[in-house]
């Protein structure tokens, strides 16, 4: 097999996964479940998790397509560790979704629309990026407070696992 054949094969598979993610997003929009976002988690060439944005239908601001797909993959694989999985998303994952992807040990993400394109249709991911970049207190005022009970909770947990 030549390099160009390998690249072509990869593009064909990517198109297949993106097509499924797009179809999930379209169904979600048609059913008024949430925004135009879909995602699939793939392991060894097989789709193991599917998700579309379900923020509206679930009244859950965390029910983004990537998170829904990760939850589905974890349920289907009976593990929280998605090492060796790849996620395909119709749009660039927001910071919350990126965190979920990292926590689940997925190391590869493919996406199509970027954050600027998503912002241009009214989604507010830019607020989160501004918060991280500029520590904007008008977006979120997060303050570290000392509490002995909270601190002890971590110490007690650490002692149970080590």
């Amino acid at each position: 097999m030549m390099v160009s054949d390998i690249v072509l094969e990869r593009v064909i598979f990517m198109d297949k996964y993106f097509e499924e993610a797009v179809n999930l997003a379209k169904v979600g929009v048609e059913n008024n479940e949430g925004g135009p976002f879909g995602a699939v988690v793939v392991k060894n060439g097989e789709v193991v998790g599917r998700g579309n944005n379900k923020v509206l239908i679930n009244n859950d601001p965390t029910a983004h397509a990537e998170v829904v797909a990760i939850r589905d993959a974890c349920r289907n694989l009976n593990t929280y560790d998605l090492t060796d999985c790849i996620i395909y998303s119709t749009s660039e994952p927001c910071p919350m979704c990126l965190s979920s992807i990292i926590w689940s040990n997925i190391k590869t993400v493919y996406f199509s629309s970027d954050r600027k394109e998503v912002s241009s249709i009214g989604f507010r991911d830019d607020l989160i990026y501004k918060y991280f970049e500029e520590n904007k207190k008008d977006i979120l005022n997060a303050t570290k407070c000392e509490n002995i009970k909270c601190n002890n909770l971590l110490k007690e947990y650490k002692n149970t696992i080590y």
Side-chain angles (χ1 to χ4, degrees):
M1 192 178 267
M2 303 201 35
V3 173
S4 60
D5 293 335
I6 293 170
V7 170
L8 180 60
E9 184 176 320
R10 178 181 242 177
V11 168
I12 290 169
F13 276 106
M14 288 178 82
D15 281 348
K16 176 176 108 171
Y17 302 133
F18 277 125
E19 183 175 346
E20 184 160 356
V22 166
N23 289 337
L24 289 164
K26 285 181 176 181
V27 168
V29 169
E30 289 168 8
N31 293 330
N32 202 33
E33 295 176 350
F37 308 106
V40 295
V41 176
V42 176
K43 184 170 186 171
N44 299 324
E46 178 186 345
V47 175
V48 295
R50 293 170 173 82
N52 62 283
N53 185 293
K54 294 184 181 288
V55 168
L56 299 178
I57 197 164
N58 290 349
N59 290 316
D60 179 358
T62 68
H64 290 196
E66 297 89 342
V67 173
V68 172
I70 288 168
R71 290 173 180 162
D72 188 47
C74 290
R75 206 171 18 257
N76 291 333
L77 297 173
N78 197 32
T79 183
Y80 63 87
D81 186 353
L82 299 180
T83 298
D84 299 325
C85 290
I86 298 170
I87 191 163
Y88 293 81
S89 179
T90 56
S91 294
E92 181 176 3
C94 74
M96 177 189 69
C97 293
L98 283 174
S99 296
S100 298
I101 290 164
I102 291 167
W103 278 113
S104 66
N105 293 317
I106 294 174
K107 302 287 188 240
T108 304
V109 179
Y110 294 110
F111 64 90
S112 184
S113 306
D114 66 24
R115 66 180 84 160
K116 289 179 182 161
E117 293 167 299
V118 170
S119 178
S120 75
I121 63 167
F123 288 88
R124 305 176 304 153
D125 295 12
D126 60 321
L127 282 178
I128 301 167
Y129 292 108
K130 281 182 185 175
Y131 174 76
F132 286 131
E133 292 164 3
E134 303 168 20
N135 195 19
K136 305 269 292 172
K137 296 290 185 190
D138 60 324
I139 295 170
L140 175 68
N141 186 6
T143 304
K144 182 182 184 319
C145 301
E146 290 299 323
N147 183 288
I148 194 72
K149 290 179 183 177
C150 295
N151 295 344
N152 285 341
L153 179 66
L154 294 179
K155 291 175 188 173
E156 290 167 15
Y157 178 78
K158 181 180 178 185
N159 289 336
T160 66
I161 60 171
Y162 296 109

